[in-house]
């Protein structure tokens, strides 16, 4: 099983430096992940202030990591979406190498699917991104934040 690290795309700011009400708690993201179904199971694996992560399993094998992060602590994390040439559900979409797709919702929340192994191509990752409750996510935060 290959698990790629999230360190290269997590917001880089310090959550502790921001008032509680400014950063969305990761537990608020959990209900917005795609639902499990008979073939694919979503297992929540990490939750903290500003971040929530789940593993997508097919049988006993992890085929993708799914995550939502609040980029309020790192406006530079949103900058990669400025040059996005694609959109999904009206939100900017970027590919980050051959195994990861990321979406920026409401100019604030990064939603990411990272393939583990070779089970998902870009179209499958995009389909998973669409399965998140993106409108529910957009309603959690201010639609525009200052850029760095």
């Amino acid at each position: 099983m290959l698990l790629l690290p999230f360190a290269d795309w997590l917001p880089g700011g310090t959550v502790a430096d921001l008032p509680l009400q400014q950063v969305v708690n990761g537990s608020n993201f959990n209900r917005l992940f795609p639902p499990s179904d008979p073939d694919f199971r979503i297992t929540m694996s990490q939750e903290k202030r500003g971040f929530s992560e789940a593993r997508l399993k097919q049988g006993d094998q992890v085929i993708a990591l799914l995550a939502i992060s609040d980029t309020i602590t790192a406006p530079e994390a949103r900058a990669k979406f400025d040059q996005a040439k694609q959109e999904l559900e009206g939100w900017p979409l970027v590919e980050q190498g051959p195994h990861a797709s990321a979406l920026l919702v409401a100019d604030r929340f990064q939603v990411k699917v990272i393939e583990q192994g070779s089970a998902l191509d870009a179209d499958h990752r995009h389909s998973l991104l669409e399965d998140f409750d993106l409108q529910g996510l957009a309603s959690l935060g201010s639609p525009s934040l200052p850029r760095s």
Side-chain angles (χ1 to χ4, degrees), residues 56-137:
L56 177 65
K57 292 184 174 184
Q58 186 173 32
D60 289 335
Q61 183 175 0
V62 175
I63 62 170
L65 297 177
L66 312 176
I68 301 173
S69 61
D70 186 346
T71 66
I72 194 169
T73 61
E76 68 277 5
R78 294 191 308 267
K80 69 178 162 268
F81 294 96
D82 287 344
Q83 304 302 317
K85 301 206 183 328
Q86 293 179 289
E87 285 189 352
L88 188 70
E89 301 282 322
W91 307 109
L93 170 74
V94 295
E95 299 302 325
Q96 294 184 293
H99 302 286
S101 300
L103 195 60
L104 184 66
V105 174
D107 200 33
R108 177 169 177 173
F109 301 108
Q110 182 172 224
V111 181
K112 189 152 186 172
V113 175
I114 299 177
E115 172 193 26
Q116 302 296 290
S118 60
L120 303 173
D121 62 14
D123 288 338
H124 287 111
R125 292 192 308 270
H126 298 174
S127 179
L128 279 167
L129 287 169
E130 289 176 319
D131 288 343
F132 281 81
D133 180 356
L134 301 175
Q135 292 305 315
L137 181 59

